[in-house]
Amino acid sequence: MRAATVRRETKETRIEATLDLDGTGVHDVQTPLPFLTHMVEQLSRHGLFDLEVRAEGDTQIDGHHTTEDLGFVLGQCFHQALGDRRGIRRYGFAVLPMDDARVACTLDLGGRPFFVWELPLPKAKIGDFDVELAEVFFEAFARGALCNLHVVKERGDNLHHLVEISFKALAKALEAATRLDPRVVGVPSTKGTLTE
Ligand SMILES: [Mn+2]
C-alpha cells in the first residue's frame, strides 16, 4: 500500500498527517489557519490523494511555523509513501486557470530537492493568511518530498485565485508524477536509483 503517516513535534508546531497516494480525494484536514486548510484540501481533492491532517502551531505569533512545517510534513508523506519510487511516472506538470489567474507547476520526483518560485506576490493577506506563506509552504514541501518543484505565474492578479490555482496545479502535477505506469520497469532513472 502506497501510504504513509508522518508525525512531527517541535516547540513551535505539532503535526500529524496520513497520506494514501492511491485514494479518491477523501480528506479530513484540521489546521488553525482556515485558508491553509482550504489549500491543503485542494491537494487532496484534485490530486485524488486521501489525506488526514491534524496541525497545531504557534499561530499566536503568526502562521509561518505552522505553514512551513505542514508543507514539510506533507512532503515527507509523499517521500515515504513513494518508497524507492519504483514504477512511477516521476515527472508531472499542470498549467491551470482560475478565472484571471493561470499558473504552471512542473515537478520531478527525482529525489533531488530544488525549488523555483516565479510567482511574485505582494505582502498582503487573504483572510488572516499572509500571502507570502504560499512560497514558504511550497519550498518546505519540495524539501520534504525530495522533489524538484517549479511554480511559475503565467498571468493574473487576484491573490486568492493565484494562490489557490498554485495548490491545484501542484495537486495535478503530483497526481501525474506519482502514478504507477506498468511500462516503467524498476526505478525510472538511468542511474538506477532515485533515493541515493
Ligand atoms: Mn478558494
Side-chain angles (χ1 to χ4, degrees), residues 87-103:
I88 61 168
R89 289 191 188 272
R90 178 177 166 179
Y91 295 98
F93 67 92
V95 187
L96 299 185
M98 184 170 182
D99 294 353
D100 61 308
R102 188 169 70 245
V103 170

Side-chain angles (χ1 to χ4, degrees), residues 130-141:
D130 290 316
V131 173
E132 63 187 358
L133 294 181
E135 180 178 356
V136 169
F137 179 96
F138 278 74
E139 187 279 329
F141 181 90

